[in-house]
Amino acid sequence: MTDLTFYTNPMSRGRIIRWMLEEVGASYDTVLLDYGPTMKTPDYLALNPMGKVPTLVHGDTVITECPAICCYLADMFPDAGLAPAPGSAARGTYYRWMFFAAGPLESAVVTKSFGFEVPDDPQAQGRAGWGSFDRVVGALEGLLSDGRDHLLGQTFSALDVYLGSQIAWGQQFGTLPKRPIFAEYAERIFSRPAAVRARALDDAAAQAGSPD
């Protein structure tokens, strides 16, 4: 499969998708976009009306949003073994935490980074959808607290690419509390050969500079 085009910026969440592409062993073309006019051209907005990256184009199919792209690639490259079998209990767990990462975790981290706090009131926390930042962090810690190597147990999956990236970045940039259980997990997944390759590609692109 070579008809994959990956639109990204090396200093964006596109790093997650670069890693995923390297994990599945896909052959793909990369289009680097800057944060200025190139993400707002009519041609690019026709692909991603949000005017952001990443975007993946596979033939006539356009996929945006990191968790959607990760799930799509895991299903398109089943030999990579990055998604549990459809209909299995593990598949349900995989969806559960993938959407937890895209919803409660993302919202809690971004909201806190802007200095906003959900009031300490059950009604307000229910309206927010994620309760509180501390509750989200506690859920993540509980997920990893049974000694598992990966988020689904002992098997690496696309969930580790997506949610694992958020945990690792949270440790690196201080958006999640510094806790040994998070740091050890992040070191473990980021040492994978595909993760190392992906970082090298994005770091080289960032150093070279995105096109104007």
Side-chain angles (χ1 to χ4, degrees):
M1 183 181 300
T2 58
D3 54 343
L4 289 170
T5 302
F6 170 46
Y7 294 83
T8 189
N9 180 288
M11 302 305 292
S12 74
R13 289 174 176 83
R15 282 181 171 254
I16 297 173
I17 304 309
R18 174 84 73 180
W19 179 12
M20 188 68 191
L21 286 161
E22 293 297 316
E23 284 285 354
V24 300
S27 176
Y28 60 95
D29 295 322
T30 301
V31 178
L32 294 177
L33 303 178
D34 65 21
Y35 282 108
T38 58
M39 288 190 194
K40 303 298 187 290
T41 64
D43 285 348
Y44 187 66
L45 289 173
L47 297 175
N48 190 333
M50 294 291 287
K52 65 176 187 174
V53 289
T55 296
L56 186 70
V57 177
H58 175 207
D60 294 330
T61 301
V62 178
I63 314 98
T64 65
E65 309 308 324
C66 284
I69 298 172
C70 285
C71 289
Y72 183 85
L73 287 171
D75 288 345
M76 291 303 300
F77 293 85
D79 289 347
L82 295 181
S88 66
R91 185 76 166 207
T93 303
Y94 168 79
Y95 284 141
R96 172 189 176 185
W97 292 104
M98 191 71 79
F99 285 93
F100 171 86
L105 177 59
E106 179 91 8
S107 298
V109 167
V110 170
T111 301
K112 187 173 180 64
S113 74
F114 287 138
F116 304 144
E117 294 286 350
V118 179
D120 187 15
D121 170 74
Q123 237 182 359
Q125 292 185 355
R127 287 171 59 198
W130 64 89
S132 70
F133 179 80
D134 289 343
R135 190 179 302 175
V136 169
V137 172
L140 274 183
E141 193 167 22
L143 178 61
L144 287 166
S145 65
D146 63 356
R148 63 183 61 200
D149 285 338
H150 302 295
L151 296 175
L152 290 181
Q154 301 311 115
T155 302
F156 182 85
S157 72
L159 181 62
D160 293 290
V161 175
Y162 180 58
L163 176 49
S165 290
Q166 295 190 24
I167 293 171
W169 289 347
Q171 296 301 281
Q172 182 179 355
F173 298 112
T175 55
L176 288 174
K178 300 281 188 180
R179 296 187 180 170
I181 198 168
F182 294 155
E184 291 165 8
Y185 167 72
E187 183 178 359
R188 187 161 55 248
I189 61 169
F190 266 27
S191 66
R192 290 178 63 84
V196 173
R197 286 197 307 274
R199 284 199 303 277
L201 289 167
D202 279 323
D203 289 347
Q207 187 172 7
S210 295
D212 294 329

